[in-house]
Amino acid sequence: MNWTVHKFGGSSLADADCFRRVAGIVRDQPAGNLGVVVSAVGGVTDMLFDLIERASRQQPVDDAMGALRRRHGELATDLLGEDAAAPFMEQFETDLNDIRRILEALALVKATSRRSQDMVSGFGELWSARLLSALLAVPGNSREDVLFLDARDVLLVEPGEMGPVVVWGKTRENLGAALSADFSGVVVITGYIARNPDGLQTTLGRNGSDYSASIFAALLAADAVHIWTDVDGVMSGDPRRVPEATVIDEISYNEAMELAYFGARVIHPQTMAPAVSHEIPIRIRSTFNPEHPGSRIITSPGRPATVVKGISGIDGVALVNLEGAGMIGVPGTADRLFGALRDAGISVMLISQGSSEHSICFAVPEESADLVKTVVEDAFALELAQAQVQKVGITRGCGVLAVVGDGMAGTPGVAARFFGTLGKAGINVRAIAQGASERNISAVISSADMTRALRTVHASFYLSAKTVSIGLIGPGSVGGVLLDQMAGEVARLREDFNLDLRVRGLGGSRRMVLDDRRVDLNDWRSALERGSEMELARFVDHVQADHLPHTVLVDCTADPGIAAQYADWLKRGIHVITPNKRAHSDSMGYYRELKAICRNANSHFLYETTVGAGLPVIKTLRDLVETGDDIASISGIFSGTLAYLCNVFDATRPFSEIVRDARAQGYTEPDPRDDLSGMDVARKAVILAREAGLELELADIEVESLVPGELSSDAVASVDEFLDRLADFDASMAERFRAAEREDRVLRYVAEVDLSTGKASVSLQTCSRGHPFAGISLTDNVVQFVTRRYRDNPLIVRGPGAGPDVTAAGIFADILRLCSMLGTNHA
Ligand code: ADP
Ligand code: ASP
Ligand code: MG
């Protein structure tokens, strides 16, 4: 019969439900013999190491042992019932007594030893394997015979360079004795533990149950090893540190080994060796999501989508630097150095040597830093005394960051991107190494930078270059409609254009919502209601995340205070998109500053909707300027509200009544004077004038306000009173209308920018009926460009220029325009 080996890690055996889930998975396997290798119950190995530590410091251990007893007692009763739990607990007490004796000895010598750790730390696997085999033996839980196999009776290992090495001959012989050749059913095997040539209990090192699984798979000539854990597979980065990590479908043994070696705890690096020599594929899968196909670790995977398969990091590293002129050209220096370290049992994680041979730098586990210093100083005592070697420098608090992928060999640019990304993120690289296989590049950095480094490097290799972290400020009428529009489109944009728009922050005037991944756009209103108090600085820090390549803040307010932040944001590399006119129409100095930052800082500022809402006004103007046309004048109707009032007013009804009506229908600002004053139109004129190259301040514009001086908001606070008193001026408005009518003209509120004189004005004018400004409907805006190329027949942009729908769509278009400007690299 064929064998398949399944290994369940501690995270898959954390509680009774987990055990039942595992039993279910075992029961659901297709016909064939099963080897089921188990880790200790989640956290138990750590508890056992802690016991050893306590005993050696002569601290009390009873509470900790009580906790172990409680954990296993509860599990046994829950899974097996009181009666069947009894024999399990009896054996458990015997084991605890054995452990207590070892701990007493440790307390006497006040020290831990590798040997005592090996003796104690492996008990967890014995307990979990006994529990699982008892659970599987409960009728109905397994189809076949269930056998408990204590790996100490079979697996013989001896110490090797990389860790324990299997003595295959003797082990095979032992297995033959323990398991009859015609066995058929399920064998539950203790992971992690083994026996050494002295006959003592030992272990395969932390996370060693993975290695146990592949050893037993080789012994049983299994078709496959399935490593069941708490993640869906080997991921492009540790999901606990890299939120964007994705499952790697296929990965080579070599890649998996490098990733594991550089800290990807999901699999033990030595797991690969027995599987490779017997060509047994390994699958990494989740017990919590068994339908997911997981990752396949095989000899030669298909063509990868990305050159870099995964990114990993190890903390707790010290960097050692040996420096001195006396090493230049002296043969055998490295040999002596690493020989001494090997003799002291120190494993060196990474080596980097300058070609001048003036220094050698290497990384070791931090806990061996003191020992390393002594060993190296001893080995080079003579050179140190003669000042041929200056010093042995040790830098603690480091970590090794590595990118791994078979496809890196012969692909230029990977290192450039790796180090370029670290550089842009301001992360200092202390040492660099590249494996000769070109399968990995690693860098020693400060531990404090590790998570940020993992995220930025991951983003630069993995994410769609068009992944954008979006923060929207002001989800009011325009902002709210924009969110609703985006809700309907983001999925399609991701699928069709690989464009990943993630709204990760929403900030209202009082509340904000921050989400690590994305705010649910179908439910943003209630999310905002539940949100926390708005704090702009925290909002911006959150939206600009390390792990996402691009950040954009969309300001849908009309708040000058927010506009004043743009300079800071743009300097930080944050793109800004806004319909808020303030930044562009306040001082020319600020305008110039913003333009200068954008030129230097790699950030973009888009504001198409500041004039004409969704109409392509600024784009058209910019195209004209950039293609070398000369602008003679820009004029038009820039206010949907004033366009509407002029359209409707025919002197049959008083002007003040029309204003009151328009306000009731939502066509005006809450205080209609904001529209009637002409200041909004003047700001738009400033924006266009500056865009055309004119240095103009708002104060330079001649503004004819339709608010009589004595009714200004300074003089009359209440809007109602203003509307009442506006009636006093109805007669003069009616007269202006009739005067125009007599000449067959109409009244229009027009903005004009004359580029030759540098003058601009906004005022109520009359236009002939055939004029392009006359024949507009409702809230249409119209912008007319007279240029060298469009002299006799001006270029006209016309259409609805106000309202939440078209404004929101214009902002959305700016977001997409921004995406088309983003490079393929991390910017
Ligand atoms: P088990 O108890 O099943 O042996 P471990 O905790 O030892 O599980 O390993 C699984 C954990 O490994 C995951 O929860 C994850 O946090 C971590 N991990 C680190 N790097 C990776 C990676 N590249 N892919 C997947 N998981 C990783
Ligand atoms: N239980 C051991 C550990 O926690 C072995 C394993 O789980 O793989 O390291
Ligand atoms: Mg593990």
Coordinates of all heavy atoms in Angstrom, one line a residue, residues 77 134 288 334-335 442 505 545 566 574 659 671:
T77 N -9.8 15.1 28.7 CA -11.2 14.9 29.1 C -12.1 15.4 28.0 O -13.1 14.7 27.6 CB -11.5 15.8 30.4 OG1 -10.4 15.8 31.2 CG2 -12.6 15.1 31.1
A134 N -5.2 8.3 20.5 CA -6.4 7.9 21.3 C -7.6 8.4 20.6 O -8.6 7.7 20.5 CB -6.2 8.3 22.7
F288 N -6.8 25.1 8.9 CA -8.0 26.0 9.0 C -8.7 26.3 7.7 O -9.8 26.9 7.7 CB -7.6 27.3 9.7 CG -7.0 27.0 11.1 CD1 -5.6 26.9 11.2 CD2 -7.8 26.8 12.2 CE1 -5.0 26.6 12.4 CE2 -7.2 26.5 13.4 CZ -5.8 26.4 13.5
A334 N 40.9 33.9 6.4 CA 39.5 33.5 6.5 C 39.4 32.1 7.1 O 38.6 31.8 7.9 CB 38.9 33.6 5.1
D335 N 40.3 31.3 6.6 CA 40.4 29.9 7.0 C 40.5 29.8 8.5 O 39.8 29.1 9.2 CB 41.5 29.2 6.3 CG 41.3 27.7 6.3 OD1 40.1 27.3 6.3 OD2 42.3 27.0 6.3
S442 N 21.3 38.9 0.5 CA 20.9 39.2 1.8 C 21.6 40.5 2.3 O 22.7 40.8 1.8 CB 21.1 38.1 2.8 OG 22.3 37.4 2.4
G505 N -8.2 55.0 4.4 CA -8.6 56.0 5.4 C -9.7 56.9 4.9 O -9.7 57.3 3.8
A545 N 1.5 54.0 4.1 CA 2.0 52.8 4.7 C 3.3 52.3 4.0 O 3.4 52.5 2.8 CB 1.0 51.7 4.6
Y566 N -0.7 70.6 2.0 CA -0.2 69.9 0.8 C 1.3 69.9 0.6 O 1.9 68.9 0.2 CB -0.8 70.6 -0.5 CG -2.4 70.5 -0.6 CD1 -3.0 71.2 -1.6 CD2 -3.1 69.8 0.2 CE1 -4.4 71.2 -1.8 CE2 -4.5 69.7 0.1 CZ -5.1 70.5 -0.9 OH -6.5 70.4 -1.1
I574 N 3.7 62.0 -1.0 CA 2.3 61.7 -1.1 C 1.7 62.5 -2.2 O 2.0 63.7 -2.3 CB 1.6 62.1 0.3 CG1 2.2 61.2 1.4 CG2 0.1 61.9 0.1 CD1 1.6 61.6 2.8
V659 N -33.2 83.6 -6.4 CA -32.0 83.1 -5.6 C -32.6 82.2 -4.5 O -32.0 81.2 -4.2 CB -31.3 84.4 -5.0 CG1 -30.3 83.9 -4.0 CG2 -30.7 85.2 -6.1
D671 N -25.0 79.7 2.1 CA -25.1 81.1 2.1 C -24.9 81.5 0.6 O -23.8 81.5 0.1 CB -24.0 81.8 3.0 CG -24.2 83.3 3.1 OD1 -24.9 83.8 2.2 OD2 -23.7 83.9 4.0

